[in-house]
Amino acid sequence: MNLLPKSSKEFGSVDYWEKFFQQRGKRSFEWYGTYLELCEVLHKYIKPREKVLVIGCGNSELSEQLYDVGYEDIVNIDISEVVIKQMKERNAGRRPRMSFMKMDMTQMDFPDATFQVVLDKGTLDAVLTDEEEKTLQQVDRMLAEVGRVLQVGGRYLCISLAQAHILKKAVGHFSREGWMVRVHQVANSQDQVFEAEPRFSLPVFAFVMTKFRPVPGSALHIFELCTQEQGKPVRLESADRLAEAVRERQHYAWLCSQLRRKAGLGSISLDLCSGDTGEPRYTLHVVDNPTVKPSRDSHFAIFIIPQGRETEWLFGMDEGRKQLAASAGFRRLVTVALHRGQQYDGMESIQAELSTRVMELAPAGMPPQQQVPFLSVGGDIGVRTVQHQDHSALSGDYVIEDVQGEDRWYFRRLIFLSNRNVVQSEARLLKDVSHRAQKKRKKDRKKHRPADTPEDFPSAPGQSIDKSYLCCEHHKAMIAGLALLRNPEQLLETPLTLLVVGLGGGSLPLFVHDHFPESRVDAVEIDPSMLEVATQWFGFSQSDRMKVHIADGLDYITSLAGGEARPHYDVIMFDVDSKDPTLGMSCPPPAFVDQLFLQKVKSILSHEGIFILNLVCRDLELKDSVLAGLKAAFPLLYVRRIEGEVNEILFCQLQPEQKLATPELLEMAQALERTLRKPGQGWDDTYVLSDMLKTVTIV
């Protein structure tokens, strides 16, 4: 039998409810959960000796069950004469102190300040079916009556789905009256609703509106959210922020319900935040693998990404995560990234913290009580040590952190917190300066200094950098591009001149300076903070052959191009990021590939020189436009795509007759590498220059 109305407006009709309870008979109807599902929040906000008014009581067993556990001073009202008669008959003699009265809650007969609690389970939701003027006026009368019959310090406890228009109305009304507003999420109540009853895909909330004595002229507003995972509420700054927090909870519940019903919803990610601070603590990605045949042990697994490795292709890109899920052999894999700035006590504590939450993301068909494996690389959570945090006026907040990578190597990284999943600069630490050794020295220093002395950093952080190792694949490709210069086998004796725009940690210009002993490098960096970072933390230093110019790269090149003694660089490199995240191109800023500016770049490049550009562009139409503009300025244009990344390295030259076929490119790269692998000269054996140019194509 379908007892739901044809239109939601019927919820506000007396005739509808009379008919509803006549058809339903004496079977109780439980909006938004049973007593067992709601008792935790009810007992939290109602004391046994308080006088309670239940508005819109219907034939719910809630009042009866509250009475039976000691809450005896309860008055129930409803607009339906049928249901009031039913409830009186059902409780006659069994619950003598509880009363049932037919009454319109918008015009109650009770004196002012009669009750300490007004309890509403779904009634506000049933009345506030739309935002038409007539409906809003009826709700205003209802809420005004609630406020009138409550004592100061009393609470309006409203169980609701907290749909946007209902939350807005309730919060707006009571905050204007100077009441304290709290929204408390009810734990998983929608999961236990009987199959025969209508199901709600939204979570259930309790509005707890506490009546304060009016204070003339006071502008104090209190908004709080109490979630199901934590006992204490979190204070929020505004009604809008409260509404946003509720929407986030609703979206999460909807997402969980979708994931329980079907697989293959596409790329899904979500943040789990600390209940104490509200800061993100875990980032989860849900990856479905429909090719895996269902079996008892192949349904679901959790993969903990070691700290510091979340930016790697396998963990940080959709395609990488799909490959990880396929190799793990589970129908659904949830990868979990750990956030910097959070404390983790090991795999067991993470498993305990996540076990309940991640089960909400389990796929349909998973057997009950199924053990869900927690996986990781090497069985641990990795190591991440924040060495330094600071703020740059141009780049914003940033951190310097050391992380453990493969083969127990440690890497130092520069991260801009505005784009926390992108490694801005990276360098490998020498193995004799291991993470444990650094911690031991720091611990020893603590023992020998006064307690009030601030903790200092390692005395020379930059000295631990392996300057022969290039971490970034795009830097390796940019260096390999030097093989396009004439006579690469003679480059070590050639007085090369280079202009590098974008310093970062300084590893790119530093590598050139150290491996090409006759080279002279001008590096341009707009942010003076980055020069300090590179010098203190990444082993960078200036010399008579390498100078850093603190300037906007656009202005610096414009000045050179317009000068009387115009230089002609053998190599110009752009590795500069955009500060505007809304653009489809994050490297370089669009002004650096403007046609007029490219002509200036062209004017300071030697006749046989090479212009090398790191391009990061997700907008395909914009990328085509950039390539067309570069081709117009530089007739010879090679492209090298970095596997597993968005980066593309562009090699631009002025002379089309210099065009080389792939075999010639590889031969020149091999010649340059043989020259660089000199005895006594540090070289990374895994770095093969010719490999960097195998996939180069000509535009």
Side-chain angles (χ1 to χ4, degrees), residues 119-154:
L119 177 57
D120 167 352
K121 185 157 85 92
T123 303
L124 178 61
D125 286 16
V127 175
L128 187 49
T129 55
D130 54 57
E131 294 186 273
E132 294 181 4
E133 185 175 354
K134 183 179 178 182
T135 304
L136 294 176
Q137 288 175 351
Q138 183 184 19
V139 172
D140 283 337
R141 291 195 299 271
M142 167 190 165
L143 298 181
E145 281 290 272
V146 167
R148 183 184 67 78
V149 301
L150 268 177
Q151 300 174 8
V152 172

Short mmCIF file of all heavy atoms in Angstrom, two decimals, residues 119-154:
data_model
loop_
_atom_site.label_atom_id
_atom_site.label_comp_id
_atom_site.label_asym_id
_atom_site.label_seq_id
_atom_site.Cartn_x
_atom_site.Cartn_y
_atom_site.Cartn_z
N LEU A 119 10.05 18.63 21.23
CA LEU A 119 10.63 17.58 20.38
C LEU A 119 9.81 17.46 19.10
O LEU A 119 8.58 17.35 19.15
CB LEU A 119 10.63 16.25 21.14
CG LEU A 119 11.15 15.01 20.39
CD1 LEU A 119 12.57 15.23 19.87
CD2 LEU A 119 11.09 13.79 21.30
N ASP A 120 10.52 17.49 17.98
CA ASP A 120 9.89 17.48 16.64
C ASP A 120 10.62 16.43 15.81
O ASP A 120 11.79 16.58 15.50
CB ASP A 120 10.01 18.88 16.05
CG ASP A 120 9.69 18.96 14.56
OD1 ASP A 120 9.50 17.91 13.91
OD2 ASP A 120 9.66 20.09 14.03
N LYS A 121 9.92 15.34 15.46
CA LYS A 121 10.55 14.32 14.62
C LYS A 121 9.91 14.33 13.24
O LYS A 121 8.91 13.66 12.99
CB LYS A 121 10.44 12.93 15.27
CG LYS A 121 11.18 11.84 14.49
CD LYS A 121 11.54 10.65 15.37
CE LYS A 121 10.41 9.66 15.47
NZ LYS A 121 10.47 8.59 14.48
N GLY A 122 10.47 15.13 12.36
CA GLY A 122 10.00 15.19 10.97
C GLY A 122 8.86 16.15 10.72
O GLY A 122 8.43 16.32 9.58
N THR A 123 8.33 16.79 11.77
CA THR A 123 7.17 17.66 11.59
C THR A 123 7.52 18.92 10.79
O THR A 123 6.79 19.31 9.87
CB THR A 123 6.56 18.04 12.95
OG1 THR A 123 6.24 16.85 13.66
CG2 THR A 123 5.32 18.89 12.78
N LEU A 124 8.63 19.57 11.12
CA LEU A 124 9.03 20.75 10.36
C LEU A 124 9.25 20.39 8.89
O LEU A 124 8.82 21.13 7.99
CB LEU A 124 10.32 21.34 10.95
CG LEU A 124 10.90 22.55 10.22
CD1 LEU A 124 9.91 23.72 10.23
CD2 LEU A 124 12.22 22.98 10.83
N ASP A 125 9.85 19.25 8.64
CA ASP A 125 10.07 18.83 7.25
C ASP A 125 8.74 18.62 6.53
O ASP A 125 8.59 18.93 5.34
CB ASP A 125 10.87 17.52 7.21
CG ASP A 125 12.34 17.72 7.56
OD1 ASP A 125 12.67 18.78 8.12
OD2 ASP A 125 13.15 16.80 7.29
N ALA A 126 7.75 18.06 7.26
CA ALA A 126 6.45 17.79 6.65
C ALA A 126 5.68 19.07 6.32
O ALA A 126 4.94 19.14 5.34
CB ALA A 126 5.61 16.91 7.58
N VAL A 127 5.87 20.10 7.15
CA VAL A 127 5.14 21.36 6.95
C VAL A 127 5.83 22.25 5.93
O VAL A 127 5.19 22.86 5.06
CB VAL A 127 5.00 22.10 8.29
CG1 VAL A 127 4.35 23.47 8.08
CG2 VAL A 127 4.17 21.27 9.27
N LEU A 128 7.16 22.31 5.99
CA LEU A 128 7.91 23.22 5.13
C LEU A 128 8.21 22.53 3.79
O LEU A 128 9.33 22.14 3.49
CB LEU A 128 9.20 23.67 5.83
CG LEU A 128 10.04 24.76 5.15
CD1 LEU A 128 9.20 25.95 4.74
CD2 LEU A 128 11.17 25.20 6.08
N THR A 129 7.17 22.34 3.00
CA THR A 129 7.30 21.58 1.75
C THR A 129 7.79 22.42 0.59
O THR A 129 8.23 21.90 -0.43
CB THR A 129 5.93 20.98 1.37
OG1 THR A 129 4.96 22.04 1.31
CG2 THR A 129 5.50 19.95 2.40
N ASP A 130 7.70 23.74 0.71
CA ASP A 130 8.15 24.64 -0.36
C ASP A 130 8.43 26.00 0.26
O ASP A 130 8.34 26.17 1.49
CB ASP A 130 7.09 24.75 -1.47
CG ASP A 130 5.73 25.17 -0.93
OD1 ASP A 130 5.65 26.23 -0.28
OD2 ASP A 130 4.74 24.42 -1.13
N GLU A 131 8.78 26.97 -0.56
CA GLU A 131 9.10 28.31 -0.05
C GLU A 131 8.09 29.34 -0.52
O GLU A 131 8.42 30.52 -0.67
CB GLU A 131 10.53 28.69 -0.46
CG GLU A 131 11.59 27.80 0.19
CD GLU A 131 13.01 28.26 -0.10
OE1 GLU A 131 13.54 27.85 -1.15
OE2 GLU A 131 13.56 29.04 0.71
N GLU A 132 6.86 28.89 -0.76
CA GLU A 132 5.80 29.84 -1.09
C GLU A 132 5.42 30.64 0.15
O GLU A 132 5.59 30.19 1.28
CB GLU A 132 4.58 29.08 -1.64
CG GLU A 132 4.86 28.41 -2.98
CD GLU A 132 3.64 27.69 -3.52
OE1 GLU A 132 2.56 27.79 -2.88
OE2 GLU A 132 3.77 27.03 -4.57
N GLU A 133 4.87 31.84 -0.08
CA GLU A 133 4.60 32.76 1.02
C GLU A 133 3.65 32.16 2.06
O GLU A 133 3.88 32.29 3.27
CB GLU A 133 4.01 34.07 0.47
CG GLU A 133 3.82 35.14 1.55
CD GLU A 133 3.34 36.45 0.97
OE1 GLU A 133 3.27 36.56 -0.28
OE2 GLU A 133 3.02 37.36 1.75
N LYS A 134 2.62 31.45 1.60
CA LYS A 134 1.65 30.87 2.52
C LYS A 134 2.32 29.83 3.42
O LYS A 134 2.07 29.79 4.64
CB LYS A 134 0.52 30.22 1.72
CG LYS A 134 -0.59 29.64 2.60
CD LYS A 134 -1.70 29.04 1.73
CE LYS A 134 -2.78 28.41 2.60
NZ LYS A 134 -3.84 27.78 1.76
N THR A 135 3.19 29.01 2.83
CA THR A 135 3.89 27.98 3.61
C THR A 135 4.82 28.62 4.63
O THR A 135 4.87 28.20 5.80
CB THR A 135 4.70 27.06 2.68
OG1 THR A 135 3.82 26.51 1.69
CG2 THR A 135 5.37 25.94 3.45
N LEU A 136 5.58 29.62 4.21
CA LEU A 136 6.54 30.27 5.10
C LEU A 136 5.83 30.96 6.26
O LEU A 136 6.33 30.97 7.39
CB LEU A 136 7.40 31.27 4.32
CG LEU A 136 8.34 30.66 3.26
CD1 LEU A 136 9.07 31.76 2.50
CD2 LEU A 136 9.35 29.73 3.92
N GLN A 137 4.67 31.54 6.00
CA GLN A 137 3.91 32.18 7.08
C GLN A 137 3.45 31.15 8.10
O GLN A 137 3.48 31.39 9.32
CB GLN A 137 2.70 32.92 6.49
CG GLN A 137 3.08 34.19 5.73
CD GLN A 137 1.88 34.83 5.05
OE1 GLN A 137 0.78 34.26 5.00
NE2 GLN A 137 2.07 36.04 4.53
N GLN A 138 3.01 29.97 7.62
CA GLN A 138 2.59 28.91 8.53
C GLN A 138 3.77 28.43 9.39
O GLN A 138 3.62 28.23 10.60
CB GLN A 138 2.02 27.74 7.73
CG GLN A 138 1.49 26.60 8.61
CD GLN A 138 1.02 25.41 7.80
OE1 GLN A 138 1.38 25.26 6.64
NE2 GLN A 138 0.19 24.57 8.41
N VAL A 139 4.96 28.30 8.76
CA VAL A 139 6.14 27.87 9.50
C VAL A 139 6.57 28.93 10.51
O VAL A 139 6.98 28.61 11.63
CB VAL A 139 7.29 27.52 8.53
CG1 VAL A 139 8.58 27.27 9.29
CG2 VAL A 139 6.92 26.30 7.69
N ASP A 140 6.47 30.19 10.12
CA ASP A 140 6.79 31.28 11.07
C ASP A 140 5.92 31.19 12.31
O ASP A 140 6.39 31.37 13.44
CB ASP A 140 6.61 32.64 10.39
CG ASP A 140 7.75 32.99 9.45
OD1 ASP A 140 8.86 32.43 9.63
OD2 ASP A 140 7.54 33.80 8.53
N ARG A 141 4.60 30.91 12.11
CA ARG A 141 3.69 30.80 13.26
C ARG A 141 4.08 29.59 14.12
O ARG A 141 4.06 29.67 15.36
CB ARG A 141 2.25 30.67 12.77
CG ARG A 141 1.69 31.92 12.13
CD ARG A 141 0.17 31.86 12.00
NE ARG A 141 -0.27 30.75 11.16
CZ ARG A 141 -0.43 30.82 9.84
NH1 ARG A 141 -0.16 31.96 9.19
NH2 ARG A 141 -0.85 29.77 9.16
N MET A 142 4.44 28.50 13.46
CA MET A 142 4.84 27.29 14.20
C MET A 142 6.08 27.55 15.05
O MET A 142 6.11 27.24 16.26
CB MET A 142 5.11 26.16 13.20
CG MET A 142 5.82 24.96 13.80
SD MET A 142 6.35 23.82 12.49
CE MET A 142 7.50 22.79 13.42
N LEU A 143 7.12 28.15 14.44
CA LEU A 143 8.37 28.37 15.17
C LEU A 143 8.20 29.43 16.26
O LEU A 143 8.83 29.34 17.32
CB LEU A 143 9.48 28.76 14.19
CG LEU A 143 9.83 27.71 13.12
CD1 LEU A 143 10.97 28.21 12.22
CD2 LEU A 143 10.22 26.38 13.76
N ALA A 144 7.36 30.41 15.98
CA ALA A 144 7.08 31.43 17.02
C ALA A 144 6.40 30.79 18.23
O ALA A 144 6.71 31.11 19.39
CB ALA A 144 6.22 32.54 16.44
N GLU A 145 5.48 29.86 17.99
CA GLU A 145 4.82 29.16 19.08
C GLU A 145 5.79 28.28 19.85
O GLU A 145 5.73 28.18 21.08
CB GLU A 145 3.67 28.31 18.54
CG GLU A 145 2.41 29.10 18.23
CD GLU A 145 1.75 29.59 19.51
OE1 GLU A 145 0.94 28.87 20.09
OE2 GLU A 145 2.09 30.72 19.97
N VAL A 146 6.71 27.62 19.13
CA VAL A 146 7.74 26.82 19.80
C VAL A 146 8.54 27.71 20.76
O VAL A 146 8.79 27.35 21.92
CB VAL A 146 8.69 26.15 18.76
CG1 VAL A 146 9.94 25.61 19.44
CG2 VAL A 146 7.95 25.05 18.02
N GLY A 147 8.94 28.88 20.27
CA GLY A 147 9.70 29.80 21.11
C GLY A 147 8.90 30.30 22.30
O GLY A 147 9.43 30.48 23.40
N ARG A 148 7.60 30.51 22.10
CA ARG A 148 6.75 31.04 23.18
C ARG A 148 6.59 30.04 24.31
O ARG A 148 6.66 30.42 25.49
CB ARG A 148 5.38 31.42 22.60
CG ARG A 148 4.43 32.05 23.62
CD ARG A 148 3.06 32.32 23.02
NE ARG A 148 2.34 31.10 22.67
CZ ARG A 148 1.71 30.32 23.56
NH1 ARG A 148 1.70 30.63 24.85
NH2 ARG A 148 1.06 29.22 23.16
N VAL A 149 6.37 28.76 23.98
CA VAL A 149 6.07 27.78 25.04
C VAL A 149 7.33 27.23 25.71
O VAL A 149 7.23 26.52 26.71
CB VAL A 149 5.22 26.62 24.49
CG1 VAL A 149 3.91 27.14 23.91
CG2 VAL A 149 5.98 25.79 23.47
N LEU A 150 8.51 27.57 25.17
CA LEU A 150 9.76 27.10 25.77
C LEU A 150 10.23 28.07 26.85
O LEU A 150 10.13 29.30 26.70
CB LEU A 150 10.85 26.96 24.72
CG LEU A 150 11.03 25.59 24.05
CD1 LEU A 150 12.12 25.67 22.99
CD2 LEU A 150 11.36 24.50 25.06
N GLN A 151 10.79 27.54 27.92
CA GLN A 151 11.44 28.35 28.94
C GLN A 151 12.81 28.83 28.44
O GLN A 151 13.39 28.23 27.53
CB GLN A 151 11.63 27.52 30.22
CG GLN A 151 10.35 27.01 30.82
CD GLN A 151 10.61 26.08 32.00
OE1 GLN A 151 11.75 25.93 32.44
NE2 GLN A 151 9.56 25.45 32.50
N VAL A 152 13.34 29.89 29.03
CA VAL A 152 14.72 30.30 28.76
C VAL A 152 15.65 29.16 29.17
O VAL A 152 15.51 28.59 30.26
CB VAL A 152 15.07 31.60 29.51
CG1 VAL A 152 16.56 31.91 29.37
CG2 VAL A 152 14.23 32.76 28.98
N GLY A 153 16.57 28.81 28.30
CA GLY A 153 17.45 27.67 28.54
C GLY A 153 16.87 26.37 27.98
O GLY A 153 17.55 25.34 27.95
N GLY A 154 15.60 26.43 27.52
CA GLY A 154 14.97 25.27 26.92
C GLY A 154 15.47 25.02 25.51
O GLY A 154 16.14 25.87 24.89
#
